[in-house]
Amino acid sequence: MLTAASLRAETVDLYLGEAVVEDQSAGERERGMAEALSNVLLKLSGLHDFSAYPQVQAGLQRANSMVITFYYRKQPFKLPDGSEGEQLRLAVRFSPQPVDQLAQALELPRWKRERRPLEIWLVVDDGLSRRILPIELEYAWQNLQAVADYRGMPVTFPSADEDGQYAVDPQLLWGGYTDELQQDGPVNALVIAARREGPEWNIRMNLSYGGHQASWRNRGQELQLELAAGMHQAIDEIVALNTIAAVDQGQTSFTLMVSGIIGSADYIRCLDYLQGLSLVERVDVIRAQQGRVEFSLALNAQPEYLLRSLSNDGVLTAGPKGKVFVLQP
């Protein structure tokens, strides 16, 4: 059963941004804070970059005034030749309210904060066998996690059993067959099939997310770069389904009648779900009658976005003619 808690992006810290820095000097810290704020705005908006928003650059100069705290950390990484290195990173936590106000002033889109995790399956064909997440390519597939973290997309990777085996046959994954991945609700998975063909990698990506299906191919000599490009494209697909345009943001109201509320437990579950939606600023009860409650919702976007969320989540389903919604058991 989907609940408000299961739909929230609890694994993503949207107001924590990071930047690679050369050292801990004051000048490098100031540059890094602006870059970290850029990272936060990318996570909130869902944008790949700000090339279409030149006004953002000036807004980044206000980074210092929004900082709550910052710290440095060293990020280890692996290279294709097996060697290891590390980056010095500046991590900055920003105050949510001024950042939200800046994003609105810059007229950025808003990626809804209900972000269901995307499970990533990477199958590699070396000409002899097909294996899931081979350890010798860890440097490449772990970079998928880094891209997802930077964009604010929660992801998971499958775990092998004690014998190193996965619950899904690599041959089925290679063919794009994802039915075995389905547990509760729609599949939210990115299945990547990568084959080495001479000096190049031929990579096929199949995305299934909340009922949306997409597939594409990448080719190139650097596996790490091609996987990163594919990860960006997958996130772009997901963002397109869950973004509120700047022109549609703003205070609106909506009246919602919900039936199927039999007792206090159902009422609390329904209220918790509505209050947990990032689109909803406030929930008031207009009236309650046998098995039904009418709510007045204060929204921060046009009602069409709320109706789309209700349809996708499946917690409340539309009744006849869409006038009354039914709380699912």
Side-chain angles (χ1 to χ4, degrees), residues 128-185:
L128 299 175
S129 63
R130 290 170 179 166
R131 293 177 296 152
I132 297 172
L133 298 173
I135 192 64
E136 67 270 19
L137 296 176
E138 183 181 20
Y139 73 92
W141 55 263
Q142 284 195 346
N143 193 48
L144 296 170
Q145 178 76 64
V147 171
D149 289 345
Y150 186 76
R151 295 284 303 271
M153 179 71 218
V155 297
T156 62
F157 290 87
S159 298
D161 62 21
E162 58 185 17
D163 297 321
Q165 301 299 310
Y166 291 87
V168 180
D169 187 341
Q171 301 284 33
L172 294 176
L173 288 175
W174 185 267
Y177 186 77
T178 59
D179 283 3
E180 290 192 13
L181 303 179
Q182 186 166 340
Q183 296 178 359
D184 298 321

Side-chain angles (χ1 to χ4, degrees), residues 308-319:
R308 191 182 306 167
S309 289
L310 297 181
S311 175
N312 291 337
D313 294 345
V315 178
L316 302 177
T317 59

Side-chain angles (χ1 to χ4, degrees), residues 193-215:
R195 189 205 313 265
R196 188 66 179 262
E197 297 177 351
E200 289 191 332
W201 286 92
N202 184 358
I203 302 171
R204 184 181 71 252
M205 298 198 172
N206 291 315
L207 173 68
S208 179
Y209 193 85
H212 174 71
Q213 306 286 334
S215 62

